[in-house]
Amino acid sequence: MRFTGIIEIVFNKTISEDVKKEIEGLIEYLNRDYLKRGARDPREAAHINSYTFKDSGIVLEIETGSKVRIDEATLRVKNVLSTSLGSKYRIGVRGVNLHNPIITLDNKISISLKIPLIKSIASDGDHTIIELVELDESDLKKPLFLRLLRLIEDKEQRARWGGKSEHWVLIKRSGKKTVEASMGDPNDVLERIGWMKRMSVGQWLYTPPLTHMLNTLKRLFIDEVVKPLGFEEATFPKMYPLEVGLKTGHLKGVINSMIFASLPRSYDISEFEEFIDLMYVLNEAPPEELQRHLRPSSYFLCFAQCEPFYWFFENEILDDSSLPIKWYDQSGPSYRWESGGIHGIERLIEFHRIEVVWLGRPDDVIKIRNELLERYEYFMDKVLDIEWRMAWVTPWFYEQSGALQGLKESTIEIDKPGTIDFEAWLPYRGDRDDSKNWIEVGNISIHGTKFTEPFRIKHNRGETLWTGCSGFGSERWFIVLLAQKGLNIDNWPKKYIEYIKAIPFPRSIDTITYPRTKDGKELLAKIINLLKQ
Ligand code: SER
Ligand code: ZN
């Protein structure tokens, strides 16, 4: 990324030959020293290529890299001239303007012309040339300008990384386990025996027996992992105002997979009369007609499930007596719009998760992450006895916020912000050596200040605060359990059976028409028999 522009500095009086000499010296100093500070590679710093004097001013052609950017460089030039000439010659700077600022990128990006400050965008071969409007000193310091540069930087980085931004490095894996894969795809079995029914794409109803089994697994996780570490249950909302998504970054990063909610245009039912009449006669509810009675969406549905945690502490000042804060939420579903590749309950539009969240000083946040890691490992190995692996991956909070800032390639720096994914093998899909036969069941992250900064969560003595979160995808863990343990209860984890038995097993639905097929009914009877033992 290169910047060029023409700095015009206007003085409050005409300048003499002596002053010009002085300025020449200052420019030499700027080029040699001050404009190079803060960049190891001088090309990433700034350089004045040429200059011409006017009666009471000077015009300088400047070129910069991205470490000492043109905005910073312009202000440095102005400050050096105004300080030196002010004290020695009583000459003041009346104004600074940056004419013809141009940003040149080494790759092709597209950017909206509607953005303020952008004058034109052109592309020549592999370059993008963005011309900005003329900027004065106050423009250069405005957050709007700085955010525009950040946007361009992000876009450039994304174009450079292309598909490479996804990384995955194995950290650890369990030993090989004997699995009981004869049942095939557990989703097919669950659907055939009528324990679950698909309402719409990626959305299912789980009948009491399946709910019982899912909840048992969740309870086991909470009792074995979450509670022993001192996390307490909270209840988070599941529909969030847009501002929350702007701060977490979700609106910028994953707007294409978020689901939005709208309020009615009016509370007065008479305003809906036309639409109601239409439904009477058509016996249909045309979505386009409905839309006319709705306000624009002002909410998005729960996406990461930890958003409300950061929102809750927004602008709060915490002291050591309340830190670290350790909560979890399991009060409702999360929503992700997926456009295809949906199968069974491993990939859902409405899914259930236990979201574990914590907030504290960096050391504590790392320590809690480590304790959780240990408990997770114990849970997978000793409690469930499944075949698992964990990997250092692209942090979800960068991926979901569309910003690649801070992202490094493939290096594991375990105590820096990052995400560890837990994955488990789905034997019915095929060989354990092929990654496509594994599924992500959960993750655990430390975010650094990714959320404490935008939500301005502060410590009373100004110490840095970090957050962390971990998601346990209930449906996915359950599918893995069935996929590796099969339907024969003798193979199930002891603890799980103990928990299942503690509460009477609910009755399956068995009506004339449901489960749908004869074969499904027979399978259901067989499974009930197995469970009864
Ligand atoms: N909030 C994290 C995520 O969205 C963990 O559940 O992946
Ligand atoms: Zn989270």
Side-chain angles (χ1 to χ4, degrees), residues 7 20 40 73 126 134 170 179 212 222 250 261 293 317 322 333 435 447 508:
I7 305 172
K20 287 183 185 167
R40 229 177 278 154
D126 295 332
E134 185 178 318
L170 183 72
V179 297
H212 181 60
I222 288 170
H250 284 104
H293 297 274
I317 300 169
S322 54
S435 263
H447 319 123
S508 297

Side-chain angles (χ1 to χ4, degrees), residues 35 41 101 234 313 316 390 420 518:
L35 288 180
D41 174 1
F313 289 103
E316 301 295 351
M390 52 172 99
I420 294 167
K518 187 165 162 265

